[in-house]
Structures are given as C-alpha cells and as structure tokens.
Amino acid sequence: MEESKIKVEKNIPCQLSDGTILHSDVYRPNDEGMYPVLMLRLPYDKETPRYYNEYLDVPRMVEAGYAIILQDVRGRFASEGEFYPFIHEGKDGYEAVEWAAKLPFSDGNVGLFGMSYHGYTQLAAAAEKPPSLKAIAPVMTMGDPFGDIPNIEGAPNAIGKFQTWVLGSIIEDQLKRSNQLDETKFQGYLENMVERLFDKPADEWPPMKDLDPNSFFFEVMQGKLSPELKENAKLDDKFKNTEIPALFMGGWFDALLTPTLDMYNAYDGTKMLWIGPWTHEDMTGRAGDRFFQHALENIGVDKMKDPTEIHIKWFDKWLKDKPLSIEKPVHLYLMEQNKWEAFDEWPLTNGVSELYLHSNGNSQTRHGDGKLDTNPSTAKTKTALKLDPFDTVPIRGGNVLIAGHESGIFEISDIQDRGDVLVYTSSPLEKDVQLLGTVKAVIWGSSPTQLFDISLRISDVDESGHVYNIIDTFHREKTDAINEPFQLELVIGTTAYMLKKGHCLRLDMTASKAPLYDINLNNGTTTKTNVTGKAAIEHIYQGGETGSKIILPLADNLS
C-alpha cells in the first residue's frame, strides 16, 4: 500500500484507570472512515521495524481495511509506569482493548495479534473478557510464563533462556529509564553473554548483579515472586467456554512450541492451529542448516500467500463477518516431504510403534553397542552415564532460544562421539516412516544422588552416517531411591518429520542440557543456587522388567 494512503499517528495516549499512560502508534487508512482495530501490545519498542513490515506486513493490513495499533506495554519505552513481566498484562490489556474500541476511527471491533511476549499479552487480555475483543492471534507463545523457572526444589530451571531474555531484550531500556545505563559496561556483558551463561550461581548472576541488583530478575530467580501473582499470570485454565476465537501459530523449532500447543489444547473455544518449519526468530523456512520450501509463501493446502494473509483472513471472519476460505482447523508442515497437510483435529489419532533399548552396557558414543529394536530384550543390563558438571555436553540446534545457540537442524555426530553420551540406533528403515505427533519414552534409570538429570534426543542418521537432530527434551527427577532403578514416563517432543527409507532413527541421552538448564552438581543441588560439585555416574537400564523404550507416533495414511 502506498505510504500516502496510510495515516500515521505517533504516541497516541491511552490512559488507564490508575492514571498510567500507555503510548501507541496508529497506522490506518488515510480517510475519515471507521475501521476495525488490530492491536499489538509489546515490550520491545513499537518503533522497531520488525513489527511494522517483517513479522507481519502492517501496510497490507491497513490496505485490507484495518486500523493497526502498536502499543508499548506498561513501563516500556514510550509508556509510563513500572514494568514487571506478565503481571499487569491482563488488566492493562482489557483497558487498552476498550480504549481502542472507542477511538474516533474505530468501528468498535478489536482484534489482538503478536508473537512471543505479545502473544501472551493477547491471551492475558482475552482471559479478562473485554466486550469489544472479537478475536486473537497468539503466535509462538505461552500460558504459564513462569513455568520454566518453577522454584520448586529438585525441578529443572530454564535459566539460560531467562538470562538471555532479560539481558538481551529487557534490561537496557530499564536502565535508561532510571538513568543508570553504563553503555560500555552493558555492551561488555552483552558481547560476552554466551560465556556468562555458565556463571554460577545463576540466582546471583553477576551481569545482572552489577547492572541492576534490584531487578525483578532476582525476585523471579530466587523464588520471591508471590504464589498469588504467579498463579494469576498462569492462563491455562482461564478459557473454559470462551467466546473469543483464537488463531494459534507455532514452529517445529520454536522454543515455545510445547507451551503453544499446551495453550491450544487448553483453549476451549473456536480455534485454528498452524505449525510450520519455523524457529522463534525466522519464519522464512531456514531452520539451522536446513531450508524448507513453502514455509513463508504459498502456505498450507489453501496456498495462503504468507502469514500476513492468514491473519487477514482470520480477522476478516471475526471482525468483518466475511467467509473464511480456510476450511480445516489444523495445518501442519510435514518436514522432509516439504509440504503442508490439513487435519480436522489436534492432537492427532495415530498408530504408534515401540522401539526398545538394547545394550550390553557399552552404549556410550555412536560407536558403542546401543541399538533400538521392535522386540524387547530379556537380558537386564545397565549402562553408565557420566555427568561432569564442569564439562557438560554441548547443545546444538533444536528448540533453543539462548544467546550463542541457533535453533533448527544441525549435524551432531561429533557430539555423539563423546563418552558421556549414550547412543541407541535402529536398523536401516525398510520404508519411509512419517513421525507425526508426540514422541514419548519410558526410561528406567538410577541416580547416585537425590537429583537425576536426563536429556533425550531423537535424530535422523542418513546413509552416509551423517546425523541430524529432530527433537529433544530435558527432565530432572527428585528421588530418594539412591542407586535403585526407577521408571520415568517422558515426552521427548512433538514433530512432523519423515525418516527416509535406508535411514536410521537414533536416540541419544546425556545428563545435562546446559546452558539452557541449570546443571546438576551431583550433591543434591544445582548451579542455580550453588557452585561446588563433582562428577558422578547415573545408570540407564535396558531389558527385562526394567527395559527402557521409546514410543513413536506414526502416520502411514497421508496423501
């Protein structure tokens, strides 16, 4: 749309009931008409070009007959007030929606859009049920924002993601607002953030301790945020019989895929789901070392031009009462088939295949004796899995969102050469195998201490021996059964990936996933709160009554 046909109004004030003024930029047709409003509420600066023409194309949305509002949330950039992540977004969102509905150019119908944090701002506002809110479109988001840092003894903490977010996206503006920004010091920490993610203890993280010792960062990391506030910020159970339609979008390699799917499943109302070969930072189809066609253009079986068109079609239905030309509610990109498929439901109802772990106790490295077989082993064995908290296994690819680590698919055979990685490989596949759904595992393990850490990854081994990651997970279990076997039922991840004939499926295990998660120090504590530790040996069991296995969701009947 020609810029001359767009009327731009900067820093329009939205006064909340407590007197706080939020500022918004407005982009609307340059005439005197009244239009439905689509609003994005974000903490990352409404002036950032990404939110005007990269993530979605605002000029095209204006051309489609919408007034677009980009609003800085409370305490961020142009808006007044004090920022505390997630806590104010429900009430503030309700008031912002009703303010937008009453603007002179508004026809009274409001929709919300945005990804990540501003996906959460939509859900938080929708949970408050503002009368003028007609539809939302949360992309790559979550309903339990503090769930990754539960502050429950023995639970895993995704400290690397939180540290990356606060230092990389939040603290600079906070320091500017309080006139405390030392630019040289801040840039120094930012440039060295990858190494600083290993600083311990994490709940006294030196970069934040130096830059802003009074930051909310420490309340969250040290478990000082009140249970009431944490529970109020949790949205999973607040959408029973909701009347606000929701368009959910996620990425197979997005760090928030699981919480996005959790929210989709919990959302009890009209809804649609799209999952593409996307990362949190890139929707072009590039995911690590792979590039997937039709990820950004000609999307879905309905051949949508791009994500902007999907959004326009969605909001046209609910804010303008136009027919929705997208027929089915679930749209998934099938990796390695490089095509989209549409479905009537999610989760899908598929068959499963179980593969059992086999080893004589020497499954360390990809050159060991670990195998996956459709038949269980009758021989009970165990394999030693070493965890050295000062020499953890590197992470690469997958659904990460931390400094210095790119998400997506990468070659990982060198990681599987390490002696602290257990590896189990299937025989070459006799036909193509389509994984479609959630991969699970039943793992028997034992621990020398009260904390048992395990990271599992599924990978694709091609005919030349190259290994490419598909999905992975991390789990920590608190146990009193020291050195005694116990059973874990785990979710490894959700995917839509085809393993080609002649390839092998591989499972590998490690006892860490740092620096994304805090590290088990093998003394009942982790690097979240402590510094000293020692190397130790866990055990994984194969065969007999303590046989471990993985459970694969299969789809053989796709067109």
Side-chain angles (χ1 to χ4, degrees):
M1 186 176 188
E2 295 179 16
E3 295 294 330
S4 61
K5 295 182 179 180
I6 300 177
K7 185 174 181 62
V8 180
E9 299 168 281
K10 293 286 189 177
N11 289 313
I12 303 301
C14 164
Q15 184 165 333
L16 303 177
S17 58
D18 66 358
T20 301
I21 295 176
L22 309 183
H23 285 100
S24 308
D25 291 348
V26 177
Y27 305 88
R28 60 186 178 91
N30 193 11
D31 56 36
E32 301 306 315
M34 299 178 71
Y35 297 93
V37 173
L38 300 180
M39 180 160 58
L40 182 151
R41 304 188 62 254
L42 75 163
Y44 305 128
D45 190 359
K46 57 185 171 55
E47 302 283 351
T48 304
R50 179 180 185 185
Y51 304 112
Y52 180 77
N53 59 13
E54 291 181 26
Y55 157 56
L56 293 180
D57 192 330
V58 167
R60 276 176 53 206
M61 297 167 82
V62 175
E63 186 176 20
Y66 290 96
I68 308 301
I69 297 178
L70 308 183
Q71 183 179 84
D72 290 330
V73 300
R74 177 189 293 260
R76 297 295 290 167
F77 295 93
S79 289
E80 296 178 356
E82 181 178 350
F83 177 73
Y84 203 108
F86 308 108
I87 298 302
H88 302 290
E89 305 307 350
K91 187 173 185 295
D92 287 0
Y94 178 104
E95 295 187 15
V97 166
E98 294 308 304
W99 163 80
K102 296 177 177 63
L103 290 169
F105 52 81
S106 171
D107 70 1
N109 296 301
V110 179
L112 295 173
F113 69 100
M115 67 179 296
S116 196
Y117 189 103
H118 29 111
Y120 177 88
T121 62
Q122 300 173 60
L123 292 164
E128 301 293 324
K129 300 179 175 64
S132 303
L133 183 58
K134 305 305 179 184
I136 60 176
V139 174
M140 301 184 188
T141 190
M142 78 299 269
D144 183 9
F146 298 109
D148 274 348
I149 306 180
N151 287 297
I152 299 170
E153 186 180 0
N157 292 270
I159 56 174
K161 185 164 64 174
F162 189 59
Q163 291 167 326
T164 297
W165 181 66
V166 174
L167 184 58
S169 300
I170 298 298
I171 192 61
E172 183 178 17
D173 181 60
Q174 302 301 99
L175 294 173
K176 284 180 179 178
R177 296 170 74 92
S178 59
N179 295 315
Q180 294 179 326
L181 178 63
D182 181 327
E183 190 68 39
T184 301
K185 183 187 294 185
F186 170 73
Q187 289 299 329
Y189 284 127
L190 203 61
E191 291 168 5
N192 293 287
M193 183 162 31
V194 177
E195 293 78 16
R196 302 312 296 254
L197 291 179
F198 285 94
D199 286 353
K200 48 190 180 292
D203 67 351
E204 297 285 346
W205 198 38
M208 286 301 299
K209 205 73 173 176
D210 188 20
L211 292 170
D212 188 1
N214 299 313
S215 170
F216 65 81
F217 174 89
F218 296 103
E219 283 191 327
V220 174
M221 288 288 283
Q222 296 171 4
K224 296 178 180 178
L225 185 62
S226 77
E228 293 77 19
L229 287 177
K230 290 181 70 173
E231 190 60 31
N232 286 339
K234 187 177 179 180
L235 305 176
D236 306 57
D237 60 351
K238 296 182 179 179
F239 293 100
K240 301 299 182 185
N241 301 310
T242 183
E243 296 181 358
I244 302 171
L247 166 66
F248 289 88
M249 300 182 78
W252 290 127
F253 301 103
D254 174 40
L256 299 179
L257 175 61
T258 295
T260 296
L261 291 174
D262 288 346
M263 270 310 310
Y264 176 83
N265 292 331
Y267 202 87
D268 185 18
T270 301
K271 56 189 177 181
M272 181 177 284
L273 175 67
W274 293 73
I275 308 178
W278 303 318
T279 73
H280 202 73
E281 299 291 337
D282 195 331
M283 296 180 74
T284 64
R286 190 181 70 85
D289 286 342
R290 293 285 177 88
F291 183 83
F292 297 97
Q293 295 179 334
H294 308 305
L296 187 63
E297 298 178 342
N298 296 316
I299 300 175
V301 297
D302 301 285
K303 304 298 181 185
M304 294 291 103
K305 180 179 179 180
D306 55 16
T308 298
E309 184 177 17
I310 295 173
H311 279 71
I312 290 172
K313 296 284 188 185
W314 178 255
F315 287 120
D316 278 354
K317 167 65 177 176
W318 304 111
L319 278 69
K320 296 184 178 183
D321 198 28
K322 291 185 177 182
L324 182 60
S325 59
I326 304 170
E327 293 185 6
K328 293 196 174 185
V330 176
H331 303 260
L332 308 177
Y333 187 93
L334 307 183
M335 293 179 287
E336 299 306 299
Q337 291 199 57
N338 296 327
K339 70 175 186 176
W340 290 86
E341 194 76 41
F343 301 88
D344 294 315
E345 63 179 359
W346 179 271
L348 305 175
T349 303
N350 287 328
V352 298
S353 175
E354 296 183 341
L355 293 179
Y356 296 85
L357 278 62
H358 288 241
S359 172
N360 290 322
N362 298 300
S363 55
Q364 297 90 349
T365 83
R366 63 189 176 118
H367 307 292
D369 68 357
K371 291 180 172 53
L372 295 172
D373 196 275
T374 54
N375 297 308
S377 171
T378 57
K380 178 180 176 180
T381 63
K382 65 179 182 180
T383 301
L385 176 58
K386 182 180 180 180
L387 169 59
D388 183 344
F390 304 104
D391 183 23
T392 55
V393 177
I395 61 175
R396 185 180 302 153
N399 298 64
V400 296
L401 187 59
I402 56 176
H405 294 77
E406 188 178 355
S407 51
I409 295 179
F410 292 92
E411 215 285 334
I412 58 169
S413 60
D414 59 315
I415 295 176
Q416 296 175 347
D417 284 334
R418 290 179 55 119
D420 51 359
V421 180
L422 306 189
V423 181
Y424 303 84
T425 308
S426 74
S427 300
L429 301 173
E430 296 179 357
K431 62 178 182 178
D432 292 348
V433 173
Q434 175 69 60
L435 302 180
L436 185 57
T438 300
V439 179
K440 301 178 181 180
V442 176
I443 301 296
W444 282 85
S446 63
S447 176
T449 70
Q450 290 181 315
L451 298 183
F452 175 84
D453 284 15
I454 188 76
S455 180
L456 297 92
R457 172 170 47 204
I458 299 293
S459 54
D460 178 5
V461 186
D462 69 18
E463 292 162 312
S464 65
H466 292 107
V467 188
Y468 300 95
N469 61 290
I470 305 174
I471 50 173
D472 60 75
T473 192
F474 178 78
H475 180 81
R476 175 172 295 143
E477 186 77 8
K478 188 176 182 184
T479 179
D480 293 323
I482 305 302
N483 291 321
E484 294 294 327
F486 56 86
Q487 184 189 80
L488 296 173
E489 295 183 2
L490 305 175
V491 170
I492 301 179
T494 303
T495 191
Y497 186 96
M498 175 170 279
L499 292 147
K500 299 291 189 178
K501 177 182 177 181
H503 288 209
C504 300
L505 183 144
R506 178 172 287 172
L507 168 72
D508 72 61
M509 299 188 210
T510 66
S512 64
K513 195 177 180 182
L516 177 55
Y517 286 93
D518 52 335
I519 303 168
N520 185 352
L521 292 169
N522 295 316
N523 56 16
T525 68
T526 77
T527 53
K528 180 170 179 283
T529 57
N530 284 281
V531 175
T532 59
K534 59 184 179 181
I537 302 294
E538 302 175 350
H539 284 92
I540 300 298
Y541 291 77
Q542 303 100 181
E545 69 274 16
T546 54
S548 299
K549 64 182 179 180
I550 58 174
I551 304 162
L552 307 173
L554 304 181
D556 297 324
N557 57 349
L558 293 176
S559 58

